[in-house]
Structures are given as C-alpha cells and as structure tokens.
C-alpha cells in the first residue's frame, strides 16, 4: 500500500506546484536555525560572549530580512553596538563572527533573491552546487529542494498559489479556537 501511494505521488510530482511562500519559509527557517546554533556556542557567563549572544538574539529579524531591503545610508543608534550603525553594517558585523554562518547567510539570500525574481536557472544552480561551508540545516533544506525540483520549476512558471486557501483555513482554525473547539472540526 505504501509503495503504491509513493509511486502515485512521485508520478504526479511533475503536475504539482509548490507555493513560493513555502520555498522561502524553508530557507529562512534553515538560516534561523543556523543563527540559533551560532548563538548557543557562546558562553553567556563570559561578558564578551554575552554581548555577541545578545546581538544575535536581538537582531534576528534583520538577519531574516531580504538583503535588498537593507539600508546602507540610514544610520540609527543601536544600544548593543554603543553607537550608530546601518542595517547593512549590522549584517556585516555578523558575517565576521563565523565562516559557516556567513556562507549560509549568503546562499540563503541568493536563493531568496532568485525566488523573488523567478529566476529558475539561477535557483536550480544554487540548489545543485555543492557548498562545503554551509550549515547542516541549509544542506538538509537544499537536499529537500533538489528532491522536489520539478514541482519547484512549476512554481516559477505559473502564478498559481494556495495562499488564498490557506488564509481561509487559518481563519477557520482561529474561529474554532476562539469558540473553544480544540478539535478544529466545526465549520468544516
């Protein structure tokens, strides 16, 4: 039964379209997991390590932000840096902390930009290129992306998305929770 189901799914994989949101989510989650792994290497009982740990913890949203949305010119005061820094300056600081983190960040950003611009050949070559210094979390994601490459190529070709359907399902789930139905079966 399981083999039949697996062969049925794999035979229709060419017809599937993977939502672009889920592709970007997979990559950003891997990057965030790598950030957390880097944070955990620092000893918070040491004052210098604690400063780095707190910076990595405080600026997590900035690390997950698209590189094209960062500013080189908008300097603001950041108390953890004891002075003014641009968002690009903060990212540059994080890139000096660890080679693996830098390589993971750069590859993740390249994947997100290729996805944003719907550049299928660039996305495919980024997935298939072997990167020795990339984190194990992103390597696992690349393996998954490579496995589902035909469906990913369809997501670049077509504008279809299941975002509207997911929005409706999430709205129903929130309604069920608010009404006290933890089973999530009412209204479906």
């Amino acid at each position: 039964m399981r083999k039949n189901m697996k062969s049925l799914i794999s035979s229709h994989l060419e017809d599937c379209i993977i939502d672009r949101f889920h592709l970007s989510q997979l990559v950003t989650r891997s990057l965030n997991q790598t950030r957390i792994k880097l944070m955990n290497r620092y000893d918070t009982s040491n004052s210098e390590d604690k400063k780095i740990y707190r910076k990595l913890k405080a600026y997590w949203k900035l690390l997950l932000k698209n590189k094209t949305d960062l500013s080189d010119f908008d300097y603001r005061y950041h108390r953890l840096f004891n002075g003014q820094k641009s968002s690009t300056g903060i990212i540059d600081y994080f890139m000096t902390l660890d080679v693996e983190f830098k390589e993971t960040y750069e590859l993740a950003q390249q994947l997100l930009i290729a996805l944003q611009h719907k550049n299928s050949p660039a996305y495919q070559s980024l997935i298939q290129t072997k990167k020795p210094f990339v984190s194990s979390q992103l390597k696992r994601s690349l393996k998954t992306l490579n496995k589902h490459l035909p469906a990913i190529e369809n997501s670049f070709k077509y504008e279809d998305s299941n975002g509207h359907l997911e929005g409706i399902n999430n709205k129903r789930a929130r309604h069920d929770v608010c009404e006290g139905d933890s089973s999530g079966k009412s209204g479906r």
Side-chain angles (χ1 to χ4, degrees):
M1 172 85 172
R2 191 172 192 160
K3 280 187 178 181
N4 292 340
M5 189 65 135
K6 205 170 192 180
S7 66
L8 179 67
I9 290 171
S10 62
S11 67
H12 290 290
L13 189 60
E14 305 88 42
D15 303 334
C16 292
I17 299 173
I18 296 177
D19 196 10
R20 289 175 294 280
F21 165 75
H22 294 290
L23 296 174
S24 65
Q25 186 182 42
L26 180 67
V27 172
T28 54
R29 275 191 182 160
S30 299
L31 178 59
N32 201 31
Q33 289 170 349
T34 307
R35 175 192 65 88
I36 292 167
K37 187 173 88 174
L38 177 61
M39 280 174 51
N40 290 333
R41 286 198 319 213
Y42 290 99
D43 180 19
T44 54
S45 62
N46 180 342
S47 66
E48 289 302 312
D49 281 359
K50 189 170 186 171
K51 288 177 184 178
I52 296 170
Y53 177 90
R54 289 175 62 208
K55 288 173 185 174
L56 283 165
K57 186 172 178 108
Y59 296 104
W60 67 273
K61 284 185 183 178
L62 194 60
L63 284 164
L64 299 181
K65 203 172 193 182
N66 199 324
K67 200 174 191 176
T68 57
D69 296 335
L70 299 177
S71 172
D72 258 347
F73 307 107
D74 186 21
Y75 283 82
R76 295 177 186 224
Y77 180 80
H78 295 280
R79 66 177 177 79
L80 293 175
F81 287 96
N82 294 326
Q84 295 194 354
K85 272 210 179 287
S86 66
S87 54
T88 307
I90 294 170
I91 296 297
D92 290 341
Y93 167 78
F94 288 137
M95 296 302 107
T96 63
L97 296 177
D98 185 55
V99 174
E100 181 185 79
F101 185 71
K102 179 182 179 183
E103 292 293 319
T104 301
Y105 177 81
E106 288 175 353
L107 180 58
Q109 287 296 322
Q110 291 170 351
L111 285 166
L112 293 172
I113 289 168
L115 181 64
Q116 182 182 12
H117 294 292
K118 295 183 181 175
N119 188 346
S120 182
Y123 197 82
Q124 186 173 349
S125 70
L126 287 168
I127 290 171
Q128 294 175 337
T129 304
K130 300 290 182 209
K131 303 276 186 180
F133 296 112
V134 173
S135 71
S136 60
Q137 291 83 0
L138 188 59
K139 282 181 183 176
R140 188 176 344 120
S141 296
L142 292 173
K143 190 176 177 183
T144 302
L145 292 171
N146 202 18
K147 180 180 175 183
H148 299 291
L149 203 54
I152 292 171
E153 287 175 359
N154 287 341
S155 70
F156 283 99
K157 288 180 197 171
Y158 305 110
E159 292 294 321
D160 297 337
S161 172
N162 67 343
H164 180 69
L165 181 64
E166 284 192 24
I168 291 169
N169 288 339
N170 288 339
K171 187 176 178 182
R172 284 182 184 160
R174 282 192 307 268
H175 177 267
D176 291 345
V177 169
C178 290
E179 294 295 319
D181 181 16
S182 61
S183 69
K185 292 182 181 176
S186 73
R188 290 186 187 206

